[in-house]
Amino acid sequence: MRTKKSFFKILMTFIAILIPWIIAFFLFSDSESKYTKVERLQKINYKVDTILKVDHSKFEILKQEFKRPQDVTNACLSCHNQADHEIMMTSHWKWSRPTITENGDTLELGKKNLLNNFCIGTGSNEPRCTSCHIGYGWKDKNFDFTISENIDCIVCHDQTGTYKKFPTKSGMPVTKPTKFMGKTFLPPNYNKIAQNVGKSTRANCGACHYSGGGGNNVKHGDIAQEHKNVTSEVDVHMGVDGKDMECTACHVTEHHKITGQLYSVSSENKERVTCTQCHADAPHEDEHLNLHTNKIACQTCHIPTYAKVSSTKMYWDWSTAGKHKPNGKGVVKKDSLGNLSYHYKKGSFVYGRNLSPEYVWSNGTASHHLVGDKVDSTKVLCLNKLGGDYNDANSKIIPVKVHRGKQIFDPINQTLIVPHLFGKDKTSYWKNFDWDKASKTGMDSIGLPYSGKYSFLETEMYWPLNHMVSKSDKALSCKECHAPEGRLKNLEGFYMVGRDSNSLLDWAGILMILGTLAGVIIHASIRVISNKKKK
Amino acid sequence: MKKSTYIYKSFERFWHWSQALAIFFLALTGFELHFSFELFGFKNAVEYHNAAGWAFLVLIIFAIFWHFVTGEWKQYIPTTKLVGEQINYYIFGIFKGAPHPTHKTIYNKFNPLQRLIYLGLKILVIPVQVVTGFAFLYYLYPESIWHTDGLEAIALIHTFGAFALITFVVAHVYLTTTGHTPTESIKAMITGWEIIDIDEDEYRKEQMIEAVDKGIAGYYRIDADGTLEDVNNAWLKMYKCNNRNKVIGQHYTTTRSGSDLEILTANIKKVMNGDSVNGAIVNRKCYDNTTSKHILTMSPVFIDGKVVKVEGFIIDIDNVDNK
């Protein structure tokens, strides 16, 4: 009787043990079906085109014979008579933005007072640099930013794909066929272009932004020529086989003011483009992933690699520049992928492709090294230090490309030097290969002293990655970070499961268990032996 | 005196084994996360660990409720009495076959060492594990109002707690073999039954009650007024009465007639006065008006040293073969 009864009780006990687990299991599997795909993309913020579609080819004024590109601009402005005022307030025109500094002053922050560790600075190099300015004729520091006709409307609005600015003519197109580095630039057909204008497409934006730093994908690492015809595998948003979104789908534009600011040139956390413009801020089916959004930016997991197609520049050492062969020709070397590894005008490079980002805390702010700021030559100089850390509630971990290099500086004045690189004159580095002369001209052009001594300083620059978002199944898995040698191994100041442990505690714990086990075994052995003796 | 006793109630056993399973599973998944080995996969391990944490919390809430409702919490009141003897037993006595220094009873299931260790688990280690575990899950630094400089302290305490629990489990499992036989304690925790010491007085009382309730001797009790206060089933059967209410509250005169009644009245008087009476064969008047014979005892019932009632047993002799 008793055995039957106790068997039944044991059975009931074990069924009862299982019940909470079964309930817990169903609670969990239920939570996964709570969200639908629709809810994950909660907010749709696409701006609807408010301008009526017009056929520009019907306008008489666009049928005139255009002698200069400025004539096209004047024709545009004759109807779009407020557009020039809008343009003149933008950073695309000014190459600077008003920025409120830490002490409350407003500073125009831009290329005139910021440096990078690519081609360093615009001062004295304008004709080359401003081939990417949305204007005509910015050839030196005396460019007049108030003349409306110098706005280049068509570089952003051409829909024919035929309009090209010449690389070295201060933003001007050519007037007769001209060769540059093996490519022939033709004079634009202004009538055709002016009659075929429209909203900016990725081709317009990409004309400059794909090639920042002087070549394809050099600067950004996540925006490159391949975006012209990119697959969803590479960029889930812009993939032509998928969503096929234009730049302006996210970089929402009103009155020619385009949202989005790059950390290389902007300090304040404003007018940023964010994922949550369209996506919910906790969009995962898995609650645990949603908890991560508190500290981890979307990009961190969803951009597992960058420079997926073409290589991006990771390192640039100016100090080795200037080598020539005995025959007087400059030395040029390439790596196995065909990327430059040395160029006599620019020094040594390291390019990389399919790279894993580095990770830093970011709260959306950056503090920049300005021209004239003192440098500490014993340390690596960060040109745009990103703000934020673990203890800051507004900070998240973001993926960045870090561009490192060595660039010229003045060890006496302890300032970075803006060298005069481009020009056919007697001091430009790319003609004369004399850093001293180039430094003097360059520093003169921005009104800063040069001691006559130069050296090279290690610098680094942070380029947060926001493009080339992968498909969701390619997002980082847990162990990419939650592991002792994971991607976040260099981030300090906080404890992360899987990555961190206290080895003293672990050893103490393991010894405690093993010690107990050993004690148990010894105790049991003595019991067995003493029992046998008794018998 | 030893007796097989139902010592662990069903909820208690359910709670014990659920807790064992939870600790084992939490340790397995937790250490997968901590030591980066591959078993369930990190993401699954996280989910399982969290689910098990929730299940454990629910179990703890039920267990707390059970302990207070049943009063079993008193089993865990710590004592230092016999702690030394208990340690001495584990270090020396056990090898010589010495007797256990403490005796397990249903009211004192745990030896003093068990009391201390289990209480420590219940009020220190497990609560700390639960609090740090849920902090791990839901505490968002630095948004939260309590300041802890991040998760590091929480994580280290949680890890240490896990080591402590595993250490406990190792020792605990081994110590189950130190009962009278190596598997006795585990069997007891599975079935609930264990041979343990019981209180002899308590046991006698139980047995006596059973003897009166189930025996074939009829029992009666008559108060000072002569009213029948209590009779048992055997008594009712002998008097051929199927309704106890017809008997209780009646005067004893309804149970006899003639000279038999006079003998009874005289006997009651004697006993109430403190004298003893011999057993006697008498005729009883049954409730169906027939008459039968039985033999009878009568004893006084004392309250505060005074005789206030009489009670005794009757044994039917009607069908007894006189030869």
Side-chain angles (χ1 to χ4, degrees):
Chain A
M1 258 304 271
R2 234 268 300 281
T3 47
K4 249 189 189 171
K5 205 174 155 193
S6 55
F7 172 76
F8 180 70
K9 283 202 165 173
I10 293 167
L11 189 72
M12 289 306 291
T13 307
F14 279 96
I15 290 170
I17 288 171
L18 287 175
I19 284 170
W21 296 85
I22 294 166
I23 292 170
F25 174 79
F26 280 108
L27 275 178
F28 258 77
S29 47
D30 246 22
S31 70
E32 286 192 11
S33 56
K34 271 197 295 212
Y35 298 92
T36 62
K37 280 222 157 175
V38 184
E39 278 175 298
R40 282 198 270 159
L41 262 173
Q42 277 182 340
K43 310 175 217 161
I44 301 296
N45 266 358
Y46 288 139
K47 287 285 170 188
V48 180
D49 192 352
T50 52
I51 302 169
L52 291 173
K53 291 284 177 222
V54 289
D55 183 351
H56 283 83
S57 67
K58 297 277 194 318
F59 293 118
E60 283 305 316
I61 196 165
L62 299 180
K63 292 176 183 168
Q64 66 173 296
E65 194 190 326
F66 293 111
K67 289 206 174 75
R68 307 174 307 147
Q70 286 93 333
D71 297 339
V72 181
T73 301
N74 285 329
C76 298
L77 293 176
S78 67
C79 290
H80 301 278
N81 57 18
Q82 293 299 311
D84 52 342
H85 298 296
E86 292 175 11
I87 286 291
M88 283 174 177
M89 315 225 318
T90 67
S91 53
H92 273 100
W93 175 252
K94 296 191 298 179
W95 277 12
S96 70
R97 288 189 187 92
T99 300
I100 297 166
T101 61
E102 281 166 11
N103 52 29
D105 298 336
T106 301
L107 174 75
E108 274 292 323
L109 199 65
K111 289 193 184 291
K112 65 178 177 191
N113 49 11
L114 290 176
L115 300 176
N116 61 46
N117 55 4
F118 294 87
C119 285
I120 301 175
T122 55
S124 77
N125 301 309
E126 284 89 349
R128 181 75 180 90
C129 303
T130 58
S131 63
C132 268
H133 182 240
I134 58 156
Y136 300 119
W138 184 356
K139 62 180 195 308
D140 54 35
K141 60 183 173 184
N142 301 317
F143 180 67
D144 188 344
F145 288 91
T146 63
I147 299 173
S148 301
E149 68 166 24
N150 280 338
I151 295 167
D152 185 346
C153 303
I154 49 184
V155 72
C156 296
H157 294 287
D158 167 37
Q159 305 292 300
T160 67
T162 61
Y163 179 75
K164 298 272 188 304
K165 284 152 131 5
F166 193 73
T168 62
K169 288 171 89 83
S170 311
M172 297 293 284
V174 292
T175 48
K176 55 178 189 286
T178 314
K179 276 201 163 187
F180 181 81
M181 289 176 75
K183 260 165 70 180
T184 306
F185 288 74
L186 299 171
N189 179 342
Y190 290 116
N191 292 107
K192 189 182 166 202
I193 291 166
Q195 289 168 25
N196 287 286
V197 289
K199 278 169 69 93
S200 302
T201 65
R202 67 175 78 171
N204 299 110
C205 305
C208 288
H209 291 283
Y210 292 160
S211 305
N216 180 35
N217 208 12
V218 164
K219 264 185 182 169
H220 291 275
D222 61 344
I223 324 173
Q225 296 292 344
E226 55 262 30
H227 274 95
K228 287 174 179 167
N229 197 13
V230 77
T231 62
S232 299
E233 284 295 324
V234 173
D235 191 317
V236 77
H237 295 113
M238 295 180 76
V240 291
D241 54 340
K243 297 280 178 283
D244 198 12
M245 291 162 72
E246 293 295 345
C247 306
T248 50
C250 297
H251 293 273
V252 178
T253 305
E254 273 181 286
H255 300 293
H256 284 106
K257 199 172 167 75
I258 302 171
T259 54
Q261 298 200 26
L262 197 60
Y263 292 77
S264 56
V265 288
S266 60
S267 295
E268 281 184 273
N269 186 23
K270 61 176 190 188
E271 294 160 33
R272 302 252 183 243
V273 173
T274 63
C275 306
T276 52
Q277 285 171 200
C278 295
H279 296 276
D281 50 9
H284 305 94
E285 290 165 359
D286 181 339
E287 261 322 295
H288 216 79
L289 290 180
N290 284 337
L291 279 172
H292 278 68
T293 60
N294 192 51
K295 287 281 176 213
I296 312 289
C298 311
Q299 295 92 320
T300 300
C301 298
H302 291 280
I303 308 179
T305 54
Y306 65 102
K308 290 177 188 169
V309 180
S310 52
S311 304
T312 188
K313 198 173 275 187
M314 298 306 293
Y315 182 77
W316 184 334
D317 180 1
W318 279 99
S319 69
T320 60
K323 287 180 192 156
H324 287 78
K325 293 177 195 167
N327 63 7
K329 273 199 161 182
V331 176
V332 175
K333 288 179 196 160
K334 287 189 174 177
D335 64 16
S336 58
L337 291 171
N339 300 308
L340 282 173
S341 57
Y342 182 82
H343 193 283
Y344 66 106
K345 284 184 175 178
K346 297 179 176 178
S348 318
F349 311 131
V350 176
Y351 276 83
R353 199 172 70 171
N354 260 328
L355 299 156
S356 294
E358 293 179 46
Y359 299 91
V360 294
W361 288 101
S362 165
N363 58 14
T365 65
S367 54
H368 290 89
H369 182 88
L370 303 181
V371 283
D373 282 355
K374 296 289 177 209
V375 300
D376 177 354
S377 56
T378 61
K379 287 184 193 153
V380 176
L381 173 67
C382 181
L383 296 174
N384 64 333
K385 198 170 177 337
L386 302 186
D389 59 59
Y390 175 68
N391 295 308
D392 171 7
N394 297 320
S395 290
K396 293 187 182 190
I397 294 170
I398 61 161
V400 291
K401 165 191 164 175
V402 183
H403 184 258
R404 299 185 167 84
K406 276 187 186 174
Q407 68 192 91
I408 190 163
F409 84 112
D410 180 336
I412 308 295
N413 292 325
Q414 290 182 298
T415 56
L416 289 178
I417 290 172
V418 179
H420 175 47
L421 299 170
F422 173 80
K424 289 180 175 163
D425 53 85
K426 289 203 159 56
T427 61
S428 73
Y429 185 77
W430 288 344
K431 274 275 170 283
N432 308 288
F433 299 97
D434 183 334
W435 282 120
D436 190 50
K437 287 179 187 165
S439 299
K440 188 167 188 336
T441 310
M443 293 305 266
D444 276 352
S445 78
I446 56 167
L448 283 176
Y450 166 59
S451 69
K453 288 265 187 289
Y454 67 87
S455 181
F456 291 86
L457 180 70
E458 281 189 71
T459 62
E460 59 185 23
M461 235 187 137
Y462 287 85
W463 293 80
L465 299 164
N466 296 302
H467 305 92
M468 288 195 184
V469 173
S470 288
K471 289 186 171 178
S472 58
D473 61 344
K474 294 284 191 310
L476 292 187
S477 64
C478 312
K479 286 197 110 173
E480 293 273 355
C481 300
H482 289 281
E485 291 296 306
R487 288 179 182 236
L488 302 184
K489 65 177 175 186
N490 292 328
L491 284 181
E492 286 172 359
F494 64 100
Y495 186 95
M496 194 170 116
V497 177
R499 182 191 74 164
D500 296 320
S501 60
N502 183 314
S503 57
L504 192 70
L505 176 76
D506 284 352
W507 279 113
I510 290 165
L511 282 177
M512 186 162 76
I513 293 170
L514 292 180
T516 308
L517 204 58
V520 159
I521 291 166
I522 294 165
H523 197 272
S525 313
I526 301 175
R527 267 171 77 200
V528 170
I529 293 163
S530 61
N531 263 350
K532 272 187 183 162
K533 273 185 186 165
K534 261 178 264 159
K535 279 171 191 168
Chain B
M1 186 179 169
K2 295 203 178 298
K3 184 174 175 275
S4 183
T5 310
Y6 188 56
I7 184 169
Y8 301 117
K9 308 290 179 296
S10 22
F11 176 81
E12 200 172 12
R13 286 173 286 140
F14 156 67
W15 163 62
H16 173 270
W17 291 113
S18 292
Q19 180 163 271
L21 186 63
I23 288 173
F24 172 76
F25 192 67
L26 283 163
L28 197 65
T29 49
F31 282 127
E32 173 170 4
L33 306 180
H34 184 70
F35 287 117
S36 287
F37 59 80
E38 194 76 36
L39 184 69
F40 299 107
F42 194 93
K43 195 162 187 270
N44 288 334
V46 169
E47 281 177 9
Y48 297 163
H49 196 77
N50 296 344
W54 274 107
F56 197 15
L57 182 68
V58 171
L59 183 70
I60 288 168
I61 291 165
F62 275 108
I64 290 170
F65 180 75
W66 179 84
H67 276 89
F68 282 99
V69 166
T70 59
E72 284 286 305
W73 63 274
K74 290 176 196 144
Q75 302 267 9
Y76 299 89
I77 297 171
T79 170
T80 51
K81 211 177 138 191
L82 295 175
V83 170
E85 285 82 347
Q86 191 67 39
I87 294 171
N88 201 51
Y89 170 76
Y90 285 133
I91 300 176
F92 303 108
I94 191 168
F95 304 125
K96 300 177 201 147
H100 283 265
T102 56
H103 297 284
K104 204 174 199 175
T105 72
I106 197 159
Y107 304 105
N108 185 14
K109 290 196 282 212
F110 305 130
N111 72 43
L113 268 185
Q114 282 177 304
R115 279 179 181 244
L116 286 174
I117 299 286
Y118 295 171
L119 184 69
L121 281 181
K122 279 164 174 260
I123 64 169
L124 187 69
V125 181
I126 289 175
V128 163
Q129 285 304 80
V130 169
V131 170
T132 52
F134 279 91
F136 238 136
L137 248 183
Y138 294 110
Y139 173 60
L140 296 175
Y141 180 81
E143 282 87 309
S144 202
I145 38 171
W146 348 307
H147 196 73
T148 62
D149 279 331
L151 274 176
E152 179 154 20
I154 293 169
L156 295 183
I157 293 169
H158 197 69
T159 312
F160 179 75
F163 285 125
L165 277 172
I166 297 303
T167 307
F168 165 75
V169 169
V170 171
H172 181 65
V173 169
Y174 173 66
L175 289 173
T176 62
T177 67
T178 61
H180 296 109
T181 67
T183 55
E184 182 195 38
S185 301
I186 287 183
K187 276 184 188 156
M189 195 40 98
I190 294 170
T191 63
W193 291 85
E194 185 172 5
I195 296 165
I196 58 163
D197 286 309
I198 54 156
D199 186 317
E200 277 189 54
D201 283 347
E202 197 75 27
Y203 184 55
R204 177 182 292 128
K205 276 177 202 162
E206 277 172 30
Q207 291 301 311
M208 292 302 281
I209 290 164
E210 207 165 340
V212 171
D213 283 350
K214 293 176 183 167
I216 56 153
Y219 169 80
Y220 67 91
R221 189 167 68 247
I222 298 167
D223 72 7
D225 301 334
T227 310
L228 279 161
E229 213 178 52
D230 191 15
V231 295
N232 70 354
N233 286 332
W235 191 97
L236 289 170
K237 207 176 160 193
M238 277 187 243
Y239 274 87
K240 299 197 173 72
C241 175
N242 49 20
N243 188 350
R244 191 166 175 268
N245 293 333
K246 279 186 184 168
V247 179
I248 304 301
Q250 297 294 316
H251 200 261
Y252 68 85
T253 50
T254 57
T255 64
R256 305 263 182 101
S257 61
S259 59
D260 288 308
L261 180 58
E262 282 163 26
I263 294 166
L264 180 58
T265 307
N267 279 348
I268 291 173
K269 208 173 171 185
K270 266 189 184 174
V271 172
M272 290 296 286
N273 285 333
D275 296 334
S276 61
V277 294
N278 294 325
I281 298 170
V282 294
N283 289 304
R284 65 177 179 269
K285 193 176 101 189
C286 297
Y287 277 70
D288 63 350
N289 290 319
T290 59
T291 305
S292 299
K293 278 192 168 80
H294 65 246
I295 190 165
L296 147 147
T297 67
M298 189 179 291
S299 320
V301 176
F302 293 92
I303 290 179
D304 297 332
K306 278 184 185 171
V307 182
V308 289
K309 293 165 192 180
V310 299
E311 66 176 358
F313 292 95
I314 59 172
I315 292 168
D316 194 31
I317 54 169
D318 219 34
N319 301 319
V320 174
D321 190 347
N322 282 329
K323 289 169 197 171

